[in-house]
Amino acid sequence: MKLTNMEERIHILHGQSTTWSVIKDIVSSNNQEDAFYVCDVGDIIRKHKIWKAMLPRVEPFYAVKCNDNLVVLEVLNALGTGFDCASKAEINKVMGLGVSSDRIIFANPAKPASHLRHAAEMGVGLMTFDSDTELHKIKKLYPDARLVIRIRSDAVDVQCQLGNKFGCDANLEAPSLLALAAHLDLEVVGVSFHVGSGCREPAAFNRAIRAAKGVFEQAQRLGYNLSLLDIGGGYPGGKAESIQQI
Ligand SMILES: *Cc1c(COP(=O)(O)O)cnc(C)c1O
């Protein structure tokens, strides 16, 4: 194949093209001076299809921090996914593509006040928390937010553990946090967890969902009727592993 129009950001390739042959073509075209990035957009679409087939009741929200390349975000936007944003900059980037606020979750349980104020301005109301500090902050800056309590439930075998940074204990901390949320008259709508990135232990999801169920029941006793379970990340993204087991 020949890359003739370097202005085009997406190229439809035919025949025997591989990532490597594309890179070589770009280099040998002699008009690429800057560093460049090659991405197989078809792979994103394939994975989205697999996700919908395997987990039809789960609406995917793409974690922008994984790769915030514009082409990646635009393709996901076209596929109709939601977006998981961790900061003001990520919210702006996604909304700049025309994504509406109801397709975004501000999934950072420890938000700087200025970012929280920005979320309120943009109407990004769905957000996570895992501490009393965060609840007081939200009460002050965005009292109408719809809250998701993040619990900790770590997989044993993961590439990158996140539980050492995020998530409250489902038994020891969640009850008092939910009680505080109720006392502050805040709206709690769901529970979230993240077993850790690159999870190699499918049973971890079973454990986490079981723990989340307990939190749903605690919330119910406080008069909440939770309707959202955010099953986090950690799903295999490579070609070799399979999402089937999970
Ligand atoms: C990073 C992140 C994800 C995605 O995690 P992966 O391990 O990359 O799949 C999902 N939810 C939250 C809150 C995250 O921070």
Side-chain angles (χ1 to χ4, degrees):
M1 75 117 226
K2 272 274 166 290
L3 289 174
T4 46
N5 184 358
M6 298 300 284
E7 302 305 307
E8 294 283 333
R9 293 183 308 153
I10 295 187
H11 298 261
I12 312 235
L13 307 178
H14 304 283
Q16 259 61 52
S17 301
T18 63
T19 309
W20 194 233
S21 73
V22 169
I23 292 170
K24 278 187 174 162
D25 278 352
I26 293 172
V27 171
S28 59
S29 74
N30 266 334
N31 48 33
Q32 182 71 31
E33 296 188 334
D34 301 316
F36 61 91
Y37 185 88
V38 175
C39 166
D40 180 359
V41 168
D43 194 49
I44 299 173
I45 295 166
R46 267 191 300 280
K47 288 195 170 120
H48 183 261
K49 224 182 240 173
I50 293 170
W51 181 280
K52 292 304 248 185
M54 294 286 136
L55 298 156
R57 293 170 61 209
V58 181
E59 194 187 328
F61 273 57
Y62 176 75
V64 176
K65 71 155 189 281
C66 296
N67 184 340
D68 70 346
N69 179 279
L70 271 184
V71 172
V72 172
L73 299 179
E74 281 168 5
V75 168
L76 290 163
N77 182 24
L79 289 169
T81 67
F83 293 88
D84 168 326
C85 297
S87 67
K88 176 176 167 174
E90 289 184 1
I91 289 172
N92 287 346
K93 192 155 196 181
V94 165
M95 290 191 87
L97 301 177
V99 173
S100 59
S101 57
D102 61 334
R103 278 169 62 203
I104 298 174
I105 179 167
F106 197 172
N108 179 345
K111 295 168 279 299
S114 60
H115 294 219
L116 197 45
R117 241 178 252 119
H118 184 71
E121 267 165 39
M122 306 306 280
V124 178
L126 191 62
M127 56 182 65
T128 57
F129 73 96
D130 63 4
S131 70
D132 52 354
T133 313
E134 194 70 7
L135 284 175
H136 288 294
K137 209 192 300 165
I138 291 169
K139 174 69 183 176
K140 192 168 143 203
L141 301 172
Y142 197 173
D144 295 333
R146 285 168 296 118
L147 308 184
V148 177
I149 183 167
R150 176 148 168 186
I151 57 167
R152 177 175 186 177
S153 190
D154 298 338
V156 179
D157 190 6
V158 286
Q159 271 172 333
C160 176
Q161 210 182 54
L162 294 169
N164 46 9
K165 287 199 286 187
F166 302 121
C168 67
D169 189 283
N171 299 312
L172 302 177
E173 294 173 297
S176 57
L177 286 175
L178 290 171
L180 176 61
H183 174 72
L184 294 174
D185 201 22
L186 293 169
E187 187 185 0
V188 182
V189 298
V191 179
S192 76
F193 61 77
H194 193 308
V195 298
S197 284
C199 175
R200 288 174 292 245
E201 189 211 352
F205 290 93
N206 190 305
R207 243 181 359 255
I209 291 169
R210 194 181 299 274
K213 182 170 189 280
V215 179
F216 268 66
E217 288 161 357
Q218 292 165 21
Q220 196 164 31
R221 286 194 283 277
L222 288 162
Y224 286 119
N225 185 18
L226 305 194
S227 59
L228 184 148
L229 177 63
D230 174 345
I231 60 171
Y235 306 92
K239 290 204 171 28
E241 319 99 325
S242 164
I243 195 167
Q244 245 147 343
Q245 237 186 327
I246 289 173

